[in-house]
Amino acid sequence: MLLRPAVVLTSLLLTAGPAAAKVVSVRPPASGGSAGASVEVDRAAPVDRSAGRPLAGKVIVLDPGHQLGNSRFPRQINTLVSAGPSRKPCNTTGTATNAGYPEATFVWKVALAARRQLEAQGAQVLFTRGTNSRSQWGPCVDVRGRAGNSEGADAKVSIHADGSHARGARGFHVIAPASVRGWTDDIAAPSRSLALAMRGGLGTGGFPRANYIAGGDGLDFRSDLGTLNLSDVPTVMVELGNMRNAAEARRMTRRAGQAAYARALVAGLGRFLG
Ligand code: ZN
C-alpha cells in the first residue's frame, strides 16, 4: 500500500540471504537501523542464455516494500527524504490483512520466491532490504528509488499489496512512472513496457485486474512516488491485490499463493527481458 503522500534515504542494495552469486562487497544493515551497503556486479561473468537460462546476464532488482519494523520507528519513518521533484516521508508502515498478516511479510515471501525462480533462469537478483525484521526499519523510498542505478539493472520491480476497505475491492494494478522532465522522462517508455509485461504476467497467472482503482485496466501512472521517480532503470510498482479482501488475503498468506504471485511476476519479467 502506498499512501499518496509518501516516500525516501541513500544507497542500499542487498542480496536476500546467503549464496547470492556474482555479488560482492555486500555489507548487511546494522542492527536496529537502515544502513547503507554497496554491491558490485560482475559483468564479466559468462553469459549463457541457452539451456533454460533465458535470463542469464540480466540484473534484476526486487524491492519488497516496507520493512516489518517500520511502525516501531516513527521518527525515522516520518523523516522527509527526496522523492524526486518533492520531498516525502521516508516510508510508511504498509497495510495488513484483517487478521493482521503484514504487507511487509507478504511481499518479502513473494520476493524470496521470485528470486529463486529468477536465479534458476540465470538472472542476478538484488534486493533493497536484506531482512524482514521487527527490529529494523527502512530503507527509505529514496534508497529504494535509486537501487540498481549504479549497477545498470535491466529492470526493477517494487512489490506491494494494497489495503482498500471499499466493499468488494479486489485485484492487482501496476504503477509505472509518469514522464517527469529531468526525472523519469528517460525511463517512462521502457517502464510502460515493463508495466504492460507485468500486467500480462499477472493476468496469465489468473490474477484479476483491480476493480476499485486504476480505471479498471490494471495500469496506473504516477509522478508522486520516489521509488519510481529516482530510478534510472526501467521500473514499476506492483500492487498485487487487496489484503483487506478475504479471498485475496487467503491466497496471500498461504505459501502456494505466494509462489503463484511470484511466478506471475517472473513471467512478466520474462516477457520484458526475453
Ligand atoms: Zn505498500
Side-chain angles (χ1 to χ4, degrees), residues 125-197:
V125 180
L126 306 174
F127 272 32
T128 55
R129 57 181 168 110
T131 61
N132 189 54
S133 170
R134 293 189 188 283
S135 63
Q136 297 196 350
W137 61 274
C140 299
V141 291
D142 56 341
V143 175
R144 295 174 190 269
R146 294 183 182 117
N149 288 354
S150 61
E151 292 80 10
D154 296 287
K156 177 166 62 178
V157 178
S158 183
I159 308 171
H160 289 258
D162 214 348
S164 172
H165 290 278
R167 191 176 190 83
R170 66 160 197 168
F172 74 86
H173 66 289
V174 184
I175 307 168
S179 183
V180 180
R181 184 178 297 182
W183 294 99
T184 56
D185 45 354
D186 54 339
I187 61 161
S191 296
R192 183 178 186 279
S193 297
L194 176 58
L196 292 169

Side-chain angles (χ1 to χ4, degrees), residues 223-264:
S223 59
D224 61 319
L225 300 174
T227 299
L228 301 180
N229 288 345
L230 294 169
S231 183
D232 293 330
V233 303
T235 188
V236 294
M237 185 173 292
V238 290
E239 295 279 3
L240 290 175
N242 181 16
M243 298 195 82
R244 299 291 174 178
N245 176 287
E248 295 199 316
R250 274 195 297 277
R251 200 165 192 185
M252 290 172 167
T253 53
R254 291 176 180 173
R255 188 181 178 91
Q258 293 162 354
Y261 280 108
R263 280 195 299 276

Side-chain angles (χ1 to χ4, degrees), residues 1-2 65-66 92-95 103 107 159-162 237 239:
M1 178 187 209
L2 276 154
H66 318 288
T92 63
T93 60
T95 187
E103 177 187 355
V107 299
I159 308 171
H160 289 258
D162 214 348
M237 185 173 292
E239 295 279 3

